[in-house]
Amino acid sequence: MQILQSVVHPQELTGRQQADYCLLLSQAMDKNHLSLNDSLLQIALAYYADRSDLTRKAMSYFYKGRYHYTQGEFKEATLAFKEAEKWAVADANDDLTSIIFNSLGYINKNELDFDKALSYFKQSFRVSEKMNNIERAVYNLQEIANVFFYMEQPDSVLHYHEQLISKLELCNNDQKAYVYHCLGIFHIEHGSSDKALEYLQCSLHYNDEEIMPYTYAALADLYAKEGDSEKTTYYLQKLGSIDNGAFNITVLESKLSFLLRTEASEEIALVADSLVSAIQDAYNSILDRNISEIQEKYDNKSLKMKHELMQYQLGVLFMLFVFLSLLIFYFYRRYKNKREAAIREKIRSKEAELMTYRLQLQTLEDEMNQGEEERQYLLARHNELEEKIRTKTHEIASYVKLQTSLSQYEKELEYKSSVLQGIEIYRSLLDGENRILQKSDFQHLIIFYTLLNPYFMGIVNNHSSSDIEKIISILYKAGLSRERIAAALSQEADSITRRKNRMKNKGFDLDQLIKLG
């Protein structure tokens, strides 16, 4: 990455050099978890699309697919990955082929097309085995087991878990920690607390810094469900002791989940407020990084335009100089002798006229001096008015900025107030209070639960257009019965069932989503 960034003038590269630079930079950005740049990929694709270099053509389409995948554009990502698959297979590039199959598996898993996801993960597993790439084979086995878990086929899940465990001895400690963590989560979902505890402790044994915070969070949640507050507090403290700002949101989410099972409303409000601030900080960090990238692109483009403009100006001046030189030389050679003879003949006759010309010149210079003084006065007046305009513009911008800041602060207060009200509504429903929800309560509860479980609410928002359907989904997810939900919404229990069935007919299976988490 540093080597590529050290290229002084990448905009001056052309042809294959430019395409290779864009492709290698995209590859380095993806490996360093940086956002891919579609413009770079378009340059690489434009060059390699019609050429016989199958390896770079396949890689260009692969990273194009990676770009669309990270943007959530699964249809465009699938088209790019399928094109990459065609050229990777033609090139007999097993390594890239297995990665492409794995990526297609992830897309279909995200779109809940589990049969296709299984097919692609199994293809990736077979290619990985053929290459003797144990780590990649293990990751694919893990994904196959996960898909069977979503399909509610526990026997198949256990079968692939056994295969996973049999291959772990050949893996590094990081991968062992990840697999044992996933096995623990599986058994938590199936209510096997002892088995889950065994696998989560195995994951901690391998001391993987990336997986460890999530394992601490899982153990804290497991002990919280069992009512062991001492061990819950212990693992929350372990989670909070990790000196990494990236896990701050995870820590606060785990604390909030634990406190919601208690009656410590004051602590819940403090943790919820901290969680909102942490999410806002993360958003601002991402926004600042995006602004920096945009500014860098703008600066590079401006520099390139200035450089091109300077080259153009120098070219014009050079051509003008050559033209004038040739013109002067031509007239000089043509009229030299003739003009010398005419000048000698007219010297005497023009001596008298010379004095007249000098007097006229003096008069003209006096008039020009007067014009120069007037021009200087107008220029000074122009600069003075320009400065006043600039000063007033800055003052207006300052007031606009102040007004924007006040508006933003008011919005933040409204949002935090809505979160706190949502927490109070949610806790009262969990405590069994006979509370009837008003329409004004809907938005508070939706905003709070989106903060608590963004993954669940993201899917709900994609399938539910009305607030009442979102509230029904949230209350079912919270574990309330159909009768309790009907009472809270002042409706009949059968009405709740009919709404749930209509949601399912539209392709939104609430029961399936709740099982997936």
Side-chain angles (χ1 to χ4, degrees), residues 317-362:
L317 289 175
F318 176 74
M319 293 299 296
L320 182 60
F321 172 76
V322 172
F323 174 75
L324 291 175
S325 298
L326 292 174
L327 188 64
I328 292 171
F329 179 75
Y330 170 76
F331 281 106
Y332 176 77
R333 290 292 303 272
R334 181 174 179 180
Y335 296 107
K336 179 183 177 181
N337 296 330
K338 184 178 180 180
R339 287 173 64 89
E340 286 180 351
I343 289 170
R344 283 194 299 269
E345 291 176 359
K346 293 182 179 180
I347 285 176
R348 293 184 180 88
S349 62
K350 295 298 180 181
E351 284 180 347
E353 296 178 8
L354 182 60
M355 184 58 68
T356 303
Y357 292 151
R358 286 177 177 174
L359 292 172
Q360 291 176 353
L361 178 61
Q362 184 63 45

Side-chain angles (χ1 to χ4, degrees), residues 256 259 262 264-272:
L256 185 60
L259 291 172
T262 69
S265 58
E266 188 172 331
E267 291 186 46
I268 289 174
L270 291 174
V271 173

Side-chain angles (χ1 to χ4, degrees), residues 15-43:
R16 184 184 181 89
Q17 288 183 335
Q18 185 186 45
D20 285 345
Y21 173 81
C22 293
L23 182 57
L24 290 172
L25 184 56
S26 298
Q27 185 177 9
M29 291 169 69
D30 191 53
K31 288 185 177 180
N32 286 277
H33 308 291
L34 300 175
S35 299
L36 292 172
N37 186 307
D38 189 42
S39 299
L40 293 177
L41 294 169
Q42 285 298 118
I43 293 173

Side-chain angles (χ1 to χ4, degrees), residues 133 189 245 253 448 458 478:
N133 190 328
E189 295 291 339
E253 285 178 342
F448 160 69

Side-chain angles (χ1 to χ4, degrees), residues 245 247-250 252-253 256 268-286 288 408-409 411-413 415-417 419-420 423 451:
F247 299 124
N248 189 33
I249 294 177
T250 304
L252 293 172
E253 285 178 342
L256 185 60
I268 289 174
L270 291 174
V271 173
D273 191 56
S274 299
L275 181 57
V276 171
S277 298
I279 293 173
Q280 184 65 38
D281 291 341
Y283 170 78
N284 289 336
S285 177
I286 294 171
D288 291 341
Q408 183 65 29
Y409 181 71
K411 290 180 181 178
E412 290 179 0
L413 288 177
Y415 175 74
K416 292 182 179 179
S417 175
V419 170
L420 291 176
I423 291 173
L451 180 65

